[in-house]
């Protein structure tokens, strides 16, 4: 029971949303910091993390219409006409989040597929605004193995599981890449924390 409650209780300040080469992951900062000498431990340290989130994260509610246009230009399938309508109407971030189906149609989004796609993208923005996303440009498979292992180590450290977890088992084709990713995040001697 304590095992389940430990993993189901998310403290917003400890929750990290990751985009690992486009694959979304979520974990606790404390999990990523379990190995003291790792790059992850330094990156998600309380002082560094607070500075990072305050500097790099501008709430969507604070977006200007220029920010909205920049975001729209990064989405495939949005025509220049639609982007121009948003620009002419000076749709800022707070207004973007308030737009529903009718509002998007008023701004020229008439194709049903695009309409629902854009609603989904706006919903993603809203969710991202609640907790900033950290981008990691490494193999999702390899990084996922690392995170899974760190989660098990954290559970062991808290006494939630009775066994010290075995090192991750990695597909043969991924072993070289996995070792490189581990050595990046766990340089020098600290790589032995994960590698055999």
């Amino acid at each position: 029971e304590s095992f389940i409650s430990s993993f189901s209780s998310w403290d917003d300040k400890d929750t990290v949303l990751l985009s690992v080469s486009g694959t979304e992951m979520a974990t606790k900062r404390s999990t990523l910091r379990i190995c003291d000498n790792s790059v992850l431990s330094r990156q998600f340290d309380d002082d560094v993390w607070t500075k990072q989130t305050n500097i790099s994260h501008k709430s969507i509610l604070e977006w200007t219409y220029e920010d909205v246009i920049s975001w729209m230009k990064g989405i495939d399938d949005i025509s220049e006409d639609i982007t121009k309508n948003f620009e002419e109407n000076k749709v800022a971030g707070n207004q973007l989040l308030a737009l529903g189906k009718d509002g998007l149609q008023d701004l020229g989004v008439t194709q049903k597929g695009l309409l629902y796609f854009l609603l989904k993208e706006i919903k993603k923005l809203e969710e991202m605004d609640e907790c900033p996303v950290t981008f990691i440009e490494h193999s999702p498979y390899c990084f996922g193995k690392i995170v899974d292992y760190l989660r098990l180590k954290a559970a062991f450290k808290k006494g939630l599981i009775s066994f010290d977890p075995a090192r991750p088992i990695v597909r043969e084709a991924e072993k070289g890449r996995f070792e490189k990713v581990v050595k990046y995040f766990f340089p020098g001697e600290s790589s032995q924390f994960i590698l055999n």
Side-chain angles (χ1 to χ4, degrees), residues 122-151:
I122 292 169
K123 181 70 176 160
K124 280 187 196 175
L125 267 182
E126 193 169 20
E127 290 169 0
M128 281 178 31
D129 202 38
E130 294 168 7
C131 186
V133 175
T134 300
F135 295 94
I136 305 226
E137 292 302 321
H138 286 282
S139 160
Y141 172 82
C142 295
F143 194 79
K145 288 285 187 180
I146 292 170
V147 171
D148 288 344
Y149 180 71
L150 294 176
R151 285 178 181 139

Side-chain angles (χ1 to χ4, degrees), residues 166-168 191-196:
R167 303 288 196 254
S191 68
Q192 295 309 306
F193 183 77
I194 294 183
L195 297 175
N196 290 333

Side-chain angles (χ1 to χ4, degrees), residues 14 27-35 147 150-152 154:
D14 196 38
T27 193
K28 294 181 176 184
R29 283 188 316 118
S30 57
T31 298
L32 296 172
R33 297 182 59 233
I34 199 158
C35 179
V147 171
L150 294 176
R151 285 178 181 139
L152 288 172

Side-chain angles (χ1 to χ4, degrees), residues 18-23 25 40 43 133-143 177 180-181 184-185:
L18 305 168
S19 177
V20 184
S21 294
T23 300
M25 297 182 189
L40 292 172
Q43 181 176 357
V133 175
T134 300
F135 295 94
I136 305 226
E137 292 302 321
H138 286 282
S139 160
Y141 172 82
C142 295
F143 194 79
R177 180 181 294 174
K180 286 179 185 177
V181 174
Y184 174 80
F185 287 108

Side-chain angles (χ1 to χ4, degrees), residues 25-188:
M25 297 182 189
T27 193
K28 294 181 176 184
R29 283 188 316 118
S30 57
T31 298
L32 296 172
R33 297 182 59 233
I34 199 158
C35 179
D36 290 335
N37 299 324
S38 72
V39 170
L40 292 172
S41 182
R42 288 188 302 274
Q43 181 176 357
F44 294 99
D45 176 76
D46 289 336
D47 291 334
V48 174
W49 178 251
T50 302
K51 289 176 189 169
Q52 265 183 343
T53 54
N54 287 342
I55 292 169
S56 66
H57 185 67
K58 180 179 180 181
S59 172
I60 284 106
L61 295 171
E62 299 169 2
W63 279 13
T64 64
Y65 78 91
E66 291 99 342
D67 294 325
V68 171
I69 299 308
S70 177
W71 169 75
M72 290 184 72
K73 288 180 178 178
I75 301 174
D76 292 336
D77 302 325
I78 303 290
S79 72
E80 284 185 39
D81 291 339
I82 293 171
T83 303
K84 191 173 183 175
N85 287 346
F86 275 73
E87 191 169 7
E88 287 171 357
N89 286 281
K90 295 189 181 342
V91 177
N94 60 341
Q95 297 160 345
L96 178 69
L97 294 178
L99 286 175
K101 182 178 167 185
D102 293 337
L104 289 172
Q105 287 174 330
D106 289 345
L107 288 164
V109 183
T110 56
Q111 295 174 318
K112 286 195 186 280
L114 182 57
L115 177 68
Y116 289 107
F117 173 74
L118 199 48
L119 284 169
K120 183 180 170 187
E121 290 298 309
I122 292 169
K123 181 70 176 160
K124 280 187 196 175
L125 267 182
E126 193 169 20
E127 290 169 0
M128 281 178 31
D129 202 38
E130 294 168 7
C131 186
V133 175
T134 300
F135 295 94
I136 305 226
E137 292 302 321
H138 286 282
S139 160
Y141 172 82
C142 295
F143 194 79
K145 288 285 187 180
I146 292 170
V147 171
D148 288 344
Y149 180 71
L150 294 176
R151 285 178 181 139
L152 288 172
K153 287 298 270 187
F156 176 70
K157 190 175 179 180
K158 291 178 181 178
L160 298 173
I161 57 174
S162 59
F163 59 91
D164 194 4
R167 303 288 196 254
I169 297 171
V170 180
R171 293 187 303 232
E172 191 63 40
E174 297 288 335
K175 284 186 177 181
R177 180 181 294 174
F178 179 75
E179 189 172 314
K180 286 179 185 177
V181 174
V182 168
K183 287 183 177 181
Y184 174 80
F185 287 108
F186 300 85

